[in-house]
Amino acid sequence: MNISLVIPSRNNLKYVKYAYKSIRDQIGSDVEIILLDDASTDKTWDWMKSVEGKYTKIYRNDGPQRVGHTVLYDVGADMSSNEVFGIFHADMIATPNYVKNMIKHVKRGTVVSATRIEPPLHPPGPEKIVENFGLEPEEFKMTEFLNFVKTQENLNEDKSTSGIFAPWIMYVEDFKSIGGHDKRVFAPMELEDSDLFNRFLLAGYNFVQSRDAFVYHMTCRGSRFKDGVQIYQEIPVGGGKVWKRSKDSEEYTTLRQIKFREW
């Protein structure tokens, strides 16, 4: 079964380039990737044009104002050449078996999520693994990360639990049948995923988290930490783990307040 991976980006060129390279290097040259530029000013569009091809589609919001990933994920779904599509953040790194271990769970009326591996920039949770392999592409420890993933895949082979969060995949038809993201209320971003997941649930969709499908997630580089990771507090969270709390961008803080009221 083929899949299309949808990746919006706004002024985070070094991350989206690394995400794209990880998919091509780890998964293959024939996976359809849909890259969407949201009025970037950092030469993102020039780079996207340079990689456009048979298995790489591109789209640009010319701006001058951004529309947000709330809109662009749905544009990507419309552009998909395949029945199944998935969202993939521009600050994520793919693993060799990511698609294979997601696709095996997909069926009509089901949303399949991967298991994120993240640095300690957020509190730990049962839905993810907190391990620090790097905060930036230029320092990322790819070999150590892939060795860690192999171990986790062996420990969790074919295991799944119930849950939903990014990145996820599903049938395009199922996504469109509930109207996709709520672009009237939750554009350009923030809590659009909570609203979407709630409507998935109300529509009776099943949630499956694949415990042997992994991505690394540098987290929030297009929104909450778009101004860079600025650690201002270290909080022990048990088990020898420390939450390295980073400063939120002013843009994120303002949008979060507005969208919480809407929510």
Side-chain angles (χ1 to χ4, degrees):
M1 179 183 293
N2 295 323
I3 187 173
S4 301
L5 299 178
V6 176
I7 312 177
S9 180
R10 179 179 69 104
N11 288 334
N12 53 6
L13 178 57
K14 72 175 181 178
Y15 300 105
V16 71
K17 286 174 69 174
Y18 206 76
Y20 179 83
K21 185 177 186 299
S22 76
I23 295 170
R24 289 288 177 243
D25 288 351
Q26 304 302 330
I27 301 175
S29 60
D30 58 352
V31 176
E32 182 171 82
I33 301 176
I34 301 172
L35 300 167
L36 306 103
D37 176 36
D38 196 2
S40 295
T41 57
D42 66 350
K43 298 187 178 180
T44 290
W45 183 238
D46 290 337
W47 170 76
M48 287 185 180
K49 288 189 291 184
S50 76
V51 297
E52 183 182 16
K54 181 178 179 181
Y55 296 108
T56 303
K57 294 182 177 180
I58 62 174
Y59 171 91
R60 176 170 170 81
N61 162 39
D62 289 321
Q65 300 299 317
R66 64 171 172 159
V67 295
H69 58 236
T70 302
V71 172
L72 293 181
Y73 281 132
D74 291 40
V75 173
D78 288 337
M79 293 173 64
S80 173
S81 302
N82 299 301
E83 288 186 302
V84 175
F85 88 111
I87 72 161
F88 199 90
H89 290 188
D91 58 1
M92 287 179 172
I93 297 169
T95 57
N97 295 316
Y98 169 71
V99 168
K100 182 184 76 171
N101 288 342
M102 292 275 274
I103 286 286
K104 65 186 179 184
H105 297 288
V106 76
K107 59 182 70 173
R108 298 285 183 182
T110 298
V111 188
V112 183
S113 299
T115 298
R116 300 191 309 270
I117 300 171
E118 291 184 350
L121 298 177
H122 304 282
E127 79 285 359
K128 62 187 174 183
I129 297 172
V130 178
E131 290 288 342
N132 189 1
F133 293 97
L135 300 179
E136 302 292 342
E138 54 267 31
E139 67 180 36
F140 189 67
K141 301 173 183 176
M142 180 64 83
T143 300
E144 292 181 23
F145 170 64
L146 293 179
N147 288 336
F148 179 81
V149 165
K150 286 181 182 178
T151 299
Q152 294 300 316
E153 286 176 340
N154 290 333
L155 289 172
N156 296 284
E157 185 176 4
D158 293 330
K159 291 182 180 178
S160 66
T161 51
S162 179
I164 183 169
F165 24 77
W168 47 262
I169 69 172
M170 67 187 303
Y171 276 90
V172 173
E173 183 179 333
D174 287 341
F175 178 74
K176 290 183 176 181
S177 73
I178 64 156
H181 288 88
D182 187 340
K183 294 170 278 294
R184 302 162 304 167
V185 177
F186 293 102
M189 63 181 189
E190 293 311 319
L191 293 177
E192 81 291 335
D193 50 355
S194 297
D195 171 75
L196 182 69
F197 297 167
N198 190 50
R199 287 186 286 114
F200 283 160
L201 184 67
L202 292 173
Y205 292 175
N206 296 316
F207 298 158
V208 175
Q209 180 186 1
S210 175
R211 289 290 180 171
D212 59 0
F214 296 100
V215 297
Y216 192 77
H217 188 206
M218 290 185 178
T219 89
C220 302
R221 300 315 167 88
S223 58
R224 191 170 184 174
F225 306 145
K226 76 178 186 66
D227 299 327
V229 174
Q230 305 171 48
I231 306 297
Y232 71 91
Q233 188 179 15
E234 295 193 358
I235 304 172
V237 291
K241 302 285 187 179
V242 176
W243 169 20
K244 295 177 182 284
R245 194 170 184 183
S246 182
K247 181 181 178 181
D248 294 338
S249 70
E250 183 177 340
E251 174 190 66
Y252 168 84
T253 302
T254 300
L255 273 172
R256 190 77 172 176
Q257 291 171 346
I258 295 170
K259 299 310 176 182
F260 258 121
R261 288 197 297 270
E262 299 288 0
W263 173 253

